[in-house]
Amino acid sequence: MGELEGRTALITGASSGLGADFARGLAARGCQLVLVARREARLKELAQEIAARYGVAVQSIPLDLMLEESPEELYDQLRQAGTRVDVLVNNAGFGVFGEFVDIPWQQDRNQLALDVRALVHLTKLFLADMLERDFGYVLQVASIGGYQPSPSYAIYAAAKAFVLNFGEALNYELRKRGVGVTVVSPGVTATEFLEVAGHKPSSYQRLMMMNSRDVAEIGIRAMLKGRPSVVAGWRNALVVWMLRFTPRRLMAATANAAMRIGS
């Protein structure tokens, strides 16, 4: 695979946090950008910042990817404009903290729509074009929560387990093609995630929290190396490695304690 200079990257969930830092990291490598998120004002502000700092073309598209028709609308809009997407970063997603039985179905449905359905649909749409050109990268954003059952984040962790397995399977399917698929699994990161989830961070989470820009850089580097997956940060990688030796009946209890102790 060639360099990213002059290529176009599409980043979802780009208005803040990891999405914004994926955008900065790719712009620094010469990528033109298409930024997608719901918050139009934040997108425009970021687009102006990146264009001024890195001298690349940046397009912002306000869109709610939780709506079933949105991925195809986005694909059609870019195709009609002649925009060729060479890098797809499926970053959009959110979690809801709380007991499963207490969370309204609407929130559960929105989580699944964004964290799973939109991610798969966007991958299906843009991957086909990448394969026609024999060039492209897809970066799927999962979570270390995807490596274990996580009480109080039951749906989010299950969705990220799907993303992890889906991405690694695609990486293998495409191993002899010119397109790579990589999954990055962050741990607790200094973004708006916990605030949106309604979760006051535990002492464990405060200890493990990573800088968003560092996580984004780890993901981009792993993507460019063609790695199937990467866990962001050595402490998170150690936790995931230790899970190999943890009986499954203890995993849920361990995850529950990490979410709540000292909160």
Side-chain angles (χ1 to χ4, degrees), residues 44-202:
K44 288 183 176 179
E45 182 181 346
L46 179 65
Q48 291 170 357
E49 173 211 317
I50 290 176
R53 181 175 180 182
Y54 298 104
V56 299
V58 186
Q59 180 181 1
S60 60
I61 300 178
L63 189 66
D64 185 355
L65 288 171
M66 285 186 286
L67 302 178
E68 186 171 0
E69 64 274 13
S70 290
E72 198 138 10
E73 287 180 1
L74 175 61
Y75 176 78
D76 289 342
Q77 178 179 340
L78 294 175
R79 192 174 182 87
Q80 289 168 12
T83 302
R84 199 167 71 172
V85 172
D86 303 296
V87 180
L88 171 63
V89 180
N90 274 316
N91 169 71
F94 73 100
V96 178
F97 177 71
E99 302 291 332
F100 172 75
V101 295
D102 296 330
I103 298 172
W105 164 240
Q106 182 67 38
Q107 288 183 288
D108 290 338
R109 184 174 64 183
N110 288 345
Q111 276 191 88
L112 293 169
L114 187 59
D115 296 4
V116 176
R117 188 182 67 200
L119 178 145
V120 173
H121 198 177
L122 288 168
T123 302
K124 177 76 75 173
L125 291 167
F126 289 101
L127 185 60
D129 290 343
M130 293 178 187
L131 289 171
E132 282 187 10
R133 300 190 299 267
D134 293 320
F135 181 90
Y137 296 95
V138 179
L139 182 60
Q140 314 283 32
V141 180
S143 165
I144 62 169
Y147 286 90
Q148 63 183 330
S150 298
S152 71
Y153 280 108
I155 286 183
Y156 177 77
K160 293 306 184 179
F162 174 93
V163 173
L164 176 63
N165 285 280
F166 172 62
E168 289 186 334
L170 284 185
N171 177 279
Y172 187 83
E173 287 183 11
L174 302 174
R175 67 194 183 280
K176 296 181 181 179
R177 310 288 291 272
V179 178
V181 179
T182 296
V183 184
V184 59
S185 294
V188 185
T189 307
T191 67
E192 298 174 351
F193 177 87
L194 291 175
E195 180 182 350
V196 172
H199 186 183
K200 180 182 177 182
S202 67

Side-chain angles (χ1 to χ4, degrees), residues 22-45:
F22 282 126
R24 294 184 183 103
L26 290 166
R29 290 169 168 84
C31 272
Q32 316 296 321
L33 302 178
V34 179
L35 308 179
V36 178
R38 290 186 297 170
R39 295 178 291 188
E40 184 173 7
R42 296 280 288 273
L43 277 181
K44 288 183 176 179
E45 182 181 346

